[in-house]
Amino acid sequence: MAQPTNGPIASSLLEKVQSQLNPAYINLVNESHKHAGHAGNTRGTAAFEARETHFKLELVSEKFAGLPAVRRHQLVYGLLDEEFKQGLHALSMKLKTPEEAN
């Protein structure tokens, strides 16, 4: 079975997270199909056109060591500012250190 191809938002998100956070584990799931017609799906944006508006991200990285959950989320949101400007609407995250993941 062929792997689904990532669109521009998912590809950019993965590239930034991998290069900046050097994750030991990463899982990105596009859940946009669950939100079709949702008010956050702004027509005309790159994310809407690519059907990439809602994602779930699970990430394990040493970069989260010593950071509370809010700071971890802020760190990831900061990396993805451009993707949110392009229409990424929602990103559900589970962010752990390697120690927390084991």
Side-chain angles (χ1 to χ4, degrees), residues 40 55 63 72 75 93:
F55 287 94
K63 302 275 185 173
R72 294 175 187 190
L75 177 61
M93 294 184 276

Side-chain angles (χ1 to χ4, degrees), residues 7-48:
I9 301 297
S11 295
S12 179
L13 185 155
L14 288 169
E15 179 183 323
K16 288 179 179 181
V17 167
Q18 288 172 334
S19 69
Q20 297 296 312
L21 300 177
N22 191 28
Y25 172 80
I26 186 168
N27 184 41
L28 181 66
V29 178
N30 185 341
E31 298 187 324
S32 301
H33 64 282
K34 296 180 181 179
H35 303 276
H38 182 271
N41 286 341
T42 307
R43 290 188 185 278
T45 65
F48 178 83

Side-chain angles (χ1 to χ4, degrees), residues 47-100:
F48 178 83
E49 298 305 324
R51 293 184 176 97
E52 294 186 304
T53 56
H54 294 72
F55 287 94
K56 177 172 64 173
L57 175 66
E58 296 174 281
L59 188 65
V60 176
S61 174
E62 283 288 345
K63 302 275 185 173
F64 299 139
L67 297 178
V70 170
R71 286 289 301 129
R72 294 175 187 190
H73 283 238
Q74 289 171 336
L75 177 61
V76 174
Y77 284 134
L79 293 175
L80 304 176
D81 184 58
E82 188 60 33
E83 289 72 17
F84 279 101
K85 288 178 182 174
Q86 293 177 12
L88 175 59
H89 178 69
L91 182 63
S92 169
M93 294 184 276
K94 290 185 181 178
L95 309 173
K96 298 180 179 182
T97 66
E99 293 76 25
E100 293 167 340

